[in-house]
């Protein structure tokens, strides 16, 4: 997936309490919006924990949020960051465990 819009950090000296939103486009040209819940660096890679966002408030209420983990990849030919789904089970469970520990104090996480 390719990043179309990303703002991970506020400008220096500013506190930003708004949600960090990324819009990704898949191989078929479909776009999806995600809210970044957390991010970590682990084994020299950067990972994002995100949940999908919906334009329709009713759909957002009816949909059970699912935590998705992306590995931030190398920029593409246009200089945009790429995001990869973590396919390796061992890597996924290690990174997911870290996010679970970090987020369990804030969110009710079900296994």
């Amino acid at each position: 997936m390719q990043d179309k819009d990303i703002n991970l950090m506020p400008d220096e000296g500013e506190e930003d309490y708004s949600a960090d939103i990324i819009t990704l486009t898949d191989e078929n040209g479909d776009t999806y919006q995600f809210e970044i819940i957390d991010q970590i660096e682990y084994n020299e890679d950067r990972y994002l924990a995100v949940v999908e966002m919906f334009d329709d408030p009713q759909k957002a209420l009816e949909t059970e949020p699912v935590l998705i983990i992306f590995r931030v990849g190398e920029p593409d030919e246009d200089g945009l960051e790429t995001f990869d789904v973590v396919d390796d089970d061992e890597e996924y469970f290690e990174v997911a465990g870290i996010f679970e520990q970090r987020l369990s104090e804030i969110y009710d996480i079900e296994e």
Side-chain angles (χ1 to χ4, degrees):
M1 294 187 138
Q2 289 185 327
D3 167 54
K4 286 192 113 182
D5 182 272
I6 187 166
N7 180 18
L8 295 179
M9 303 299 291
D11 291 334
E12 190 173 324
E14 288 185 22
E15 291 191 38
D16 183 7
Y17 297 105
S18 63
D20 290 325
I21 308 298
I22 57 175
T23 301
L24 303 178
T25 304
D26 67 13
E27 302 82 21
N28 299 322
D30 297 323
T31 59
Y32 303 89
Q33 284 195 320
F34 298 93
E35 179 179 357
I36 299 171
I37 303 300
D38 197 6
Q39 59 182 311
I40 62 170
E41 290 200 22
Y42 178 72
N43 286 344
E44 300 182 22
D45 284 314
R46 189 165 55 126
Y47 296 87
L48 303 179
V50 303
V51 291
E52 187 171 3
M53 296 184 61
F54 301 97
D55 291 331
D56 178 7
Q58 187 63 36
K59 185 173 183 179
L61 288 173
E62 294 171 354
T63 303
E64 183 73 26
V66 175
L67 190 68
I68 301 168
I69 298 174
F70 289 122
R71 181 185 330 98
V72 179
E74 295 295 320
D76 65 8
E77 60 276 353
D78 296 324
L80 297 174
E81 286 185 315
T82 59
F83 299 92
D84 303 313
V85 175
V86 179
D87 291 326
D88 179 84
D89 287 344
E90 184 177 332
E91 176 186 7
Y92 176 82
F93 286 117
E94 287 177 18
V95 173
I98 295 168
F99 279 125
E100 183 177 344
Q101 284 181 323
R102 291 169 55 98
L103 297 172
S104 64
E105 295 176 15
I106 302 169
Y107 300 99
D108 183 23
I109 298 176
E110 296 178 18
E111 293 185 28

